PDB file of all heavy atoms in Angstrom:
ATOM      1  N   ALA A 345     -24.233  -1.820  -9.955  1.00  0.00           N
ATOM      2  CA  ALA A 345     -24.122  -2.300  -8.576  1.00  0.00           C
ATOM      3  C   ALA A 345     -23.778  -3.789  -8.544  1.00  0.00           C
ATOM      4  O   ALA A 345     -24.359  -4.587  -9.277  1.00  0.00           O
ATOM      5  CB  ALA A 345     -25.410  -2.039  -7.822  1.00  0.00           C
ATOM      6  N   TYR A 346     -22.825  -4.133  -7.700  1.00  0.00           N
ATOM      7  CA  TYR A 346     -22.453  -5.522  -7.453  1.00  0.00           C
ATOM      8  C   TYR A 346     -22.599  -5.795  -5.967  1.00  0.00           C
ATOM      9  O   TYR A 346     -22.115  -5.026  -5.132  1.00  0.00           O
ATOM     10  CB  TYR A 346     -21.000  -5.780  -7.883  1.00  0.00           C
ATOM     11  CG  TYR A 346     -20.426  -7.049  -7.299  1.00  0.00           C
ATOM     12  CD1 TYR A 346     -20.849  -8.292  -7.762  1.00  0.00           C
ATOM     13  CD2 TYR A 346     -19.493  -7.006  -6.267  1.00  0.00           C
ATOM     14  CE1 TYR A 346     -20.340  -9.470  -7.209  1.00  0.00           C
ATOM     15  CE2 TYR A 346     -18.976  -8.170  -5.715  1.00  0.00           C
ATOM     16  CZ  TYR A 346     -19.403  -9.390  -6.183  1.00  0.00           C
ATOM     17  OH  TYR A 346     -18.912 -10.546  -5.631  1.00  0.00           O
ATOM     18  N   VAL A 347     -23.293  -6.871  -5.607  1.00  0.00           N
ATOM     19  CA  VAL A 347     -23.506  -7.232  -4.213  1.00  0.00           C
ATOM     20  C   VAL A 347     -22.636  -8.427  -3.882  1.00  0.00           C
ATOM     21  O   VAL A 347     -22.718  -9.481  -4.523  1.00  0.00           O
ATOM     22  CB  VAL A 347     -24.996  -7.539  -3.918  1.00  0.00           C
ATOM     23  CG1 VAL A 347     -25.180  -7.926  -2.451  1.00  0.00           C
ATOM     24  CG2 VAL A 347     -25.859  -6.324  -4.256  1.00  0.00           C
ATOM     25  N   LEU A 348     -21.801  -8.272  -2.882  1.00  0.00           N
ATOM     26  CA  LEU A 348     -20.866  -9.319  -2.488  1.00  0.00           C
ATOM     27  C   LEU A 348     -21.618 -10.581  -2.077  1.00  0.00           C
ATOM     28  O   LEU A 348     -22.525 -10.536  -1.250  1.00  0.00           O
ATOM     29  CB  LEU A 348     -20.008  -8.822  -1.318  1.00  0.00           C
ATOM     30  CG  LEU A 348     -18.922  -9.767  -0.801  1.00  0.00           C
ATOM     31  CD1 LEU A 348     -17.933 -10.113  -1.898  1.00  0.00           C
ATOM     32  CD2 LEU A 348     -18.206  -9.131   0.396  1.00  0.00           C
ATOM     33  N   GLY A 349     -21.246 -11.698  -2.688  1.00  0.00           N
ATOM     34  CA  GLY A 349     -21.857 -12.975  -2.339  1.00  0.00           C
ATOM     35  C   GLY A 349     -23.042 -13.355  -3.189  1.00  0.00           C
ATOM     36  O   GLY A 349     -23.491 -14.500  -3.152  1.00  0.00           O
ATOM     37  N   GLU A 350     -23.560 -12.402  -3.971  1.00  0.00           N
ATOM     38  CA  GLU A 350     -24.679 -12.719  -4.854  1.00  0.00           C
ATOM     39  C   GLU A 350     -24.143 -13.109  -6.235  1.00  0.00           C
ATOM     40  O   GLU A 350     -23.060 -12.690  -6.649  1.00  0.00           O
ATOM     41  CB  GLU A 350     -25.631 -11.531  -4.974  1.00  0.00           C
ATOM     42  CG  GLU A 350     -26.395 -11.252  -3.692  1.00  0.00           C
ATOM     43  CD  GLU A 350     -27.500 -10.237  -3.886  1.00  0.00           C
ATOM     44  OE1 GLU A 350     -27.690  -9.762  -5.033  1.00  0.00           O
ATOM     45  OE2 GLU A 350     -28.181  -9.920  -2.896  1.00  0.00           O
ATOM     46  N   GLN A 351     -24.902 -13.926  -6.941  1.00  0.00           N
ATOM     47  CA  GLN A 351     -24.478 -14.380  -8.261  1.00  0.00           C
ATOM     48  C   GLN A 351     -24.329 -13.188  -9.198  1.00  0.00           C
ATOM     49  O   GLN A 351     -25.177 -12.296  -9.246  1.00  0.00           O
ATOM     50  CB  GLN A 351     -25.484 -15.381  -8.827  1.00  0.00           C
ATOM     51  CG  GLN A 351     -25.033 -16.026 -10.125  1.00  0.00           C
ATOM     52  CD  GLN A 351     -25.977 -17.127 -10.578  1.00  0.00           C
ATOM     53  OE1 GLN A 351     -26.967 -17.413  -9.909  1.00  0.00           O
ATOM     54  NE2 GLN A 351     -25.667 -17.747 -11.706  1.00  0.00           N
ATOM     55  N   PHE A 352     -23.232 -13.181  -9.940  1.00  0.00           N
ATOM     56  CA  PHE A 352     -22.958 -12.082 -10.858  1.00  0.00           C
ATOM     57  C   PHE A 352     -22.597 -12.646 -12.222  1.00  0.00           C
ATOM     58  O   PHE A 352     -21.730 -13.510 -12.340  1.00  0.00           O
ATOM     59  CB  PHE A 352     -21.801 -11.216 -10.326  1.00  0.00           C
ATOM     60  CG  PHE A 352     -21.443 -10.062 -11.224  1.00  0.00           C
ATOM     61  CD1 PHE A 352     -22.261  -8.954 -11.308  1.00  0.00           C
ATOM     62  CD2 PHE A 352     -20.281 -10.090 -11.996  1.00  0.00           C
ATOM     63  CE1 PHE A 352     -21.944  -7.882 -12.138  1.00  0.00           C
ATOM     64  CE2 PHE A 352     -19.958  -9.032 -12.826  1.00  0.00           C
ATOM     65  CZ  PHE A 352     -20.786  -7.929 -12.893  1.00  0.00           C
ATOM     66  N   SER A 353     -23.276 -12.183 -13.231  1.00  0.00           N
ATOM     67  CA  SER A 353     -23.011 -12.642 -14.598  1.00  0.00           C
ATOM     68  C   SER A 353     -22.010 -11.692 -15.261  1.00  0.00           C
ATOM     69  O   SER A 353     -22.357 -10.567 -15.631  1.00  0.00           O
ATOM     70  CB  SER A 353     -24.316 -12.684 -15.401  1.00  0.00           C
ATOM     71  OG  SER A 353     -24.072 -13.091 -16.719  1.00  0.00           O
ATOM     72  N   GLN A 354     -20.779 -12.159 -15.369  1.00  0.00           N
ATOM     73  CA  GLN A 354     -19.725 -11.305 -15.918  1.00  0.00           C
ATOM     74  C   GLN A 354     -19.788 -11.255 -17.439  1.00  0.00           C
ATOM     75  O   GLN A 354     -19.737 -12.265 -18.117  1.00  0.00           O
ATOM     76  CB  GLN A 354     -18.358 -11.830 -15.485  1.00  0.00           C
ATOM     77  CG  GLN A 354     -17.184 -11.001 -15.970  1.00  0.00           C
ATOM     78  CD  GLN A 354     -17.154  -9.617 -15.352  1.00  0.00           C
ATOM     79  OE1 GLN A 354     -16.981  -9.484 -14.139  1.00  0.00           O
ATOM     80  NE2 GLN A 354     -17.350  -8.583 -16.156  1.00  0.00           N
ATOM     81  N   GLU A 355     -19.888 -10.067 -17.965  1.00  0.00           N
ATOM     82  CA  GLU A 355     -19.825  -9.844 -19.405  1.00  0.00           C
ATOM     83  C   GLU A 355     -18.520  -9.141 -19.743  1.00  0.00           C
ATOM     84  O   GLU A 355     -18.026  -8.318 -18.961  1.00  0.00           O
ATOM     85  CB  GLU A 355     -21.018  -8.998 -19.867  1.00  0.00           C
ATOM     86  CG  GLU A 355     -22.370  -9.660 -19.659  1.00  0.00           C
ATOM     87  CD  GLU A 355     -23.510  -8.798 -20.150  1.00  0.00           C
ATOM     88  OE1 GLU A 355     -23.242  -7.897 -21.001  1.00  0.00           O
ATOM     89  OE2 GLU A 355     -24.647  -8.998 -19.713  1.00  0.00           O
ATOM     90  N   GLU A 356     -17.960  -9.441 -20.883  1.00  0.00           N
ATOM     91  CA  GLU A 356     -16.719  -8.791 -21.311  1.00  0.00           C
ATOM     92  C   GLU A 356     -17.068  -7.507 -22.066  1.00  0.00           C
ATOM     93  O   GLU A 356     -16.847  -7.375 -23.273  1.00  0.00           O
ATOM     94  CB  GLU A 356     -15.892  -9.756 -22.155  1.00  0.00           C
ATOM     95  CG  GLU A 356     -15.401 -10.962 -21.349  1.00  0.00           C
ATOM     96  CD  GLU A 356     -14.428 -11.838 -22.118  1.00  0.00           C
ATOM     97  OE1 GLU A 356     -14.281 -11.644 -23.352  1.00  0.00           O
ATOM     98  OE2 GLU A 356     -13.809 -12.708 -21.482  1.00  0.00           O
TER      99      GLU A 356
END
Side-chain angles (χ1 to χ4, degrees):
Y346 163 72
V347 179
L348 182 59
E350 291 190 1
Q351 187 173 359
F352 179 74
S353 179
Q354 181 66 65
E355 297 181 21
E356 295 188 349

